[in-house]
Amino acid sequence: MIEAQSLTRHFGDLVAVDGITFTVDTGQVLGFLGPNGAGKSTTMKILTGFLPPTSGTAIINGYDISNDSLAVRREIGYLPEGAPLYGEMDVIRFLQFVARARGFSGAEAERKAAAAADRLNLKHVLKQRIETLSKGYKRRVGLAQAILHDPKVLILDEPTDGLDPNQKHEVRELIRNMSEHRTIVVSTHILEEVDALCNRAMIIADGKLVADDTPAGLIERSRYHNAVTLSVTDLQAAASVLSKLPEAAKVEVRDGEITVFPQPDTHLLLAVNRVIAEHGWQVHTLRLEAGRLDEVFRNITREAEPQEAAA
Amino acid sequence: MKNFLQGMHTVMRRELTAYFATPVAWVFIVIFTMLAAAFTFYLGGFYQRGLADLDPFFRFHPWLYLFLVPALAMRLWAEERKSGTIELLLTLPITMSQAIVGKFLAAWLFLGLALALTVPIWFTVNYLGDPDNGVILAAYIGSWLMAGAFLSIGSCMSAVTRNQVVAFILAVVVCFGFLLSGLPLVLDSFRAIGLPQGFVDGIANISLTVHFDAISRGVLDLRDLIYFALVIGFWLTSNLIILQLRKAD
Ligand SMILES: Nc1ncnc2c1ncn2[C@@H]1O[C@H](COP(=O)(O)OP(=O)(O)O)[C@@H](O)[C@H]1O
Ligand SMILES: [Mg+2]
């Protein structure tokens, strides 16, 4: 469990994290979203004890980051941004080093290292130098060191950044499998990732918390939520018919498709279906929109941008 | 205390493994022993002097260390910061002091190994004559202590920047200052410009050369040992403070 209380961090004049307060419970996978430079990594560095906050604090499983940093670090598994690793070491020695640093000694350290390597399918590269591994494998080594001590809190900074789609998928699977009985915070600027992985999403922009919701809740904020998109042979004629529907709030024609936006609390799809049947249109595609996360993200983070002072 | 040692030992062990995982360690050892021998036999006139001692060998150690120790030390923290592994290291349940001392000791042990590999010179002088082996042993210890002092400076300078070349140059400059301040030439010129004797003695006292020379005459004086302990302690503490301020930059 993580309880952040008014976390703030300055770099000179820059306020990188600006009074962020939130709580993450066990079992939650929190997606930490925000544009580049929003303050995601800085927040994670504070939570993991790498950087002290300028003000505010956080309690992790009952330990305060400000005066119990070592205890906090014992609770946490952390994958820093870019997954930095000691490239000149081979995989198993590196994991054994992490195990010993985490307080395991002798045979126990070796067992922990081997078990972590096992969980991330690193068995056949154990003796390989880390710098010679592919990016996907390096990321797995980074994850292996993070989960080695079976931490109750996992903090992963852009764990899929720079990976190809297959590797991304694989890493997400791994994280999903680790999510039970843990508190996980994953930062990303890839929106589908939040939908695929998280049961909660927080958006930060300019160091401030601007949204805290479930991924579904965020999607519902999209103006596309429950909109209907279709393509027919005569776009213009169809658009003008559809715009007269009482259920339609707005109609847009773009890229050979018509999108009809609903009035609140109406069954737009039923109405559209009725019109199609009445006019006997040739419909090539027809779909109900769930909502577009990228649009929500843009709106929320744009609103948060500092406004130019009115002259 | 036990926990401190355990964490420190873990870091030290990793560092030592890292040295030997790359050719750096071997290159360093070869260069060190070859230069030490070259200085002794060519510049020091080892044979010509006709004396059974290792003075020409040890006399050049400060100058050998002046470049080689900063070269070894420059990566200690600059590399961790550049590659980002510092974030990995310092978010493990290891304190910064454990990390600093662990890294320092690894490098110091490594220097000790390089020094130990020059022992054939010691054998040679025993074969050729009848040297005072007590003096030679003391000089070896003094040399290693001096290497440690240079190393602590190098480690601290390595925390100042993420650029290893800059760290190297800074370390050489500071080490050079510590060497120079003990040379008679420098001390005399301080006297010549009318600085009080107490001040000049003070300068001489912080010089590595003065204390190294004292030990290599064969006298392991407690004051000299305390001097080296203080120098190392001072620079490693500065290292800690600098790292705390700059680790995230
Ligand atoms: N060590 C630092 N020194 C100065 N500024 C920094 C430092 N680290 C981050 N910043 C600044 O703080 C802001 C937030 O950065 P970061 O937390 O890395 O964002 P994100 O991870 O969301 O992309 C950025 O404007 C970045 O330039
Ligand atoms: Mg980041």
Side-chain angles (χ1 to χ4, degrees):
Chain A
M1 168 145 167
I2 302 173
E3 299 165 82
Q5 301 158 358
S6 316
L7 272 190
T8 302
R9 171 74 202 201
H10 297 231
F11 291 112
D13 287 337
L14 179 89
V15 186
V17 177
D18 193 356
I20 289 188
T21 299
F22 61 88
T23 304
V24 199
D25 289 317
T26 309
Q28 280 190 334
V29 182
L30 170 69
F32 210 43
L33 277 168
N36 283 327
K40 305 182 293 293
S41 297
T42 306
T43 307
M44 291 181 148
K45 286 175 191 176
I46 296 173
L47 292 178
T48 53
F50 184 65
L51 278 180
T54 306
S55 66
T57 191
I59 317 283
I60 294 179
N61 286 349
Y63 302 106
D64 192 317
I65 55 161
S66 306
N67 50 35
D68 224 346
S69 176
L70 275 183
V72 166
R73 285 185 258 160
R74 278 191 202 99
E75 296 290 309
I76 292 182
Y78 177 38
L79 179 73
E81 186 166 23
L85 299 165
Y86 290 110
E88 76 280 0
M89 296 181 94
D90 62 34
V91 172
I92 192 67
R93 288 226 184 126
F94 170 70
L95 292 176
Q96 286 167 354
F97 158 70
V98 173
R100 280 191 291 266
R102 293 224 167 258
F104 304 107
S105 46
E108 167 124 62
E110 283 173 22
R111 256 196 311 111
K112 289 280 175 188
D118 230 27
R119 285 191 65 179
L120 285 128
N121 293 320
L122 290 164
K123 250 189 274 177
H124 52 286
V125 294
L126 288 183
K127 289 270 148 74
Q128 206 170 321
R129 282 157 71 102
I130 291 173
E131 63 197 358
T132 66
L133 294 173
S134 72
K135 231 174 182 181
Y137 269 101
K138 281 185 189 152
R139 202 56 57 92
R140 284 200 224 166
V141 176
L143 285 168
Q145 67 78 24
I147 59 149
L148 183 137
H149 56 304
D150 214 2
K152 297 193 200 68
V153 176
L154 255 187
I155 296 188
L156 310 172
D157 198 351
E158 309 210 5
T160 62
D161 189 48
L163 299 182
D164 71 34
N166 292 337
Q167 295 168 330
K168 278 191 170 129
H169 177 77
E170 196 183 323
V171 168
R172 281 176 205 153
E173 279 301 302
L174 292 168
I175 297 171
R176 225 194 316 269
N177 292 339
M178 294 188 280
S179 62
E180 227 184 322
H181 312 305
R182 290 214 173 84
T183 309
I184 302 186
V185 182
V186 187
S187 84
T188 178
H189 53 253
I190 305 166
L191 298 161
E192 315 89 78
E193 195 146 291
V194 177
D195 208 17
L197 200 60
C198 306
N199 47 33
R200 181 172 160 199
M202 253 170 39
I203 300 181
I204 66 169
D206 262 321
K208 293 191 192 67
L209 193 58
V210 290
D212 183 353
D213 207 335
T214 58
L218 280 181
I219 289 175
E220 280 173 25
R221 299 187 193 187
S222 166
R223 68 189 189 107
Y224 284 93
H225 182 58
N226 285 341
V228 175
T229 297
L230 68 163
S231 66
V232 295
T233 315
D234 188 351
L235 282 177
Q236 294 309 326
S240 81
V241 172
L242 287 165
S243 63
K244 296 197 182 78
L245 278 175
E247 289 88 349
K250 190 167 184 247
V251 175
E252 282 176 10
V253 181
R254 185 183 299 157
D255 301 332
E257 288 188 329
I258 307 172
T259 300
V260 190
F261 296 92
Q263 293 281 4
D265 305 317
T266 55
H267 293 285
L268 180 62
L269 185 57
L270 289 178
V272 172
N273 263 323
R274 213 172 49 235
V275 176
I276 292 169
E278 279 168 17
H279 291 78
W281 288 335
Q282 285 251 317
V283 178
H284 308 299
T285 61
L286 172 67
R287 64 177 187 271
L288 180 66
E289 302 260 5
R292 296 185 185 175
L293 207 47
D294 57 343
E295 180 228 5
V296 177
F297 180 80
R298 257 197 322 275
N299 284 340
I300 291 178
T301 53
R302 276 230 197 94
E303 272 166 34
E305 268 174 27
Q307 302 290 318
E308 298 283 315
Chain B
M1 192 61 199
K2 179 170 168 287
N3 284 338
F4 183 88
L5 291 182
Q6 197 187 3
M8 186 203 80
H9 179 250
T10 303
V11 174
M12 187 178 90
R13 192 165 155 185
R14 194 211 76 75
E15 288 282 315
L16 280 173
T17 330
Y19 285 141
F20 291 99
T22 59
V24 172
W26 305 111
V27 169
F28 184 91
I29 284 176
V30 168
I31 291 181
F32 178 83
T33 46
M34 292 206 346
L35 281 181
F39 277 151
T40 311
F41 293 112
Y42 295 107
L43 294 175
F46 179 71
Y47 291 119
Q48 291 82 339
R49 292 168 73 245
L51 293 172
D53 65 18
L54 278 183
D55 185 56
F57 171 63
F58 288 112
R59 189 147 29 96
F60 291 104
H61 278 200
W63 305 101
L64 201 55
Y65 290 144
L66 178 60
F67 293 98
L68 289 184
V69 173
L72 182 72
M74 65 185 185
R75 51 164 286 284
L76 283 177
W77 291 102
E79 192 181 45
E80 296 260 0
R81 280 175 57 193
K82 180 125 195 179
S83 68
T85 46
I86 190 169
E87 204 172 330
L88 194 76
L89 181 65
L90 297 180
T91 53
L92 289 168
I94 282 182
T95 64
M96 208 181 271
S97 333
Q98 285 171 324
I100 288 173
V101 177
K103 273 171 170 280
F104 171 79
L105 284 183
W108 203 15
L109 283 179
F110 178 74
L111 283 170
L113 174 69
L115 194 56
L117 289 175
T118 64
V119 160
I121 292 186
W122 193 354
F123 291 158
T124 308
V125 75
N126 268 288
Y127 175 78
L128 292 175
D130 187 17
D132 184 337
N133 284 318
V135 171
I136 294 179
L137 181 65
Y140 262 109
I141 293 172
S143 174
W144 189 57
L145 287 171
M146 186 173 53
F150 277 14
L151 189 62
S152 64
I153 293 172
S155 176
C156 181
M157 292 304 137
S158 172
V160 171
T161 164
R162 50 167 69 208
N163 183 324
Q164 295 195 29
V165 176
V166 176
F168 173 79
I169 293 169
L170 286 175
V172 171
V173 168
V174 176
C175 290
F176 193 50
F178 264 75
L179 274 186
L180 271 191
S181 61
L183 294 185
L185 179 76
V186 177
L187 295 177
D188 287 344
S189 56
F190 277 142
R191 269 185 217 106
I193 59 172
L195 291 174
Q197 184 61 33
F199 181 81
V200 177
D201 287 347
I203 297 272
N205 240 313
I206 65 163
S207 162
L208 285 163
T209 4
V210 169
H211 295 273
F212 172 60
D213 288 346
I215 296 182
S216 36
R217 264 179 258 119
V219 210
L220 275 180
D221 190 327
L222 188 62
R223 273 172 305 182
D224 294 319
L225 296 182
I226 290 176
Y227 165 80
F228 281 109
L230 284 179
V231 169
I232 292 172
F234 171 81
W235 287 103
L236 291 187
T237 307
S238 311
N239 189 347
L240 180 73
I241 294 166
I242 290 171
L243 205 56
Q244 243 147 13
L245 293 173
R246 311 205 52 146
K247 63 182 173 184
D249 292 352

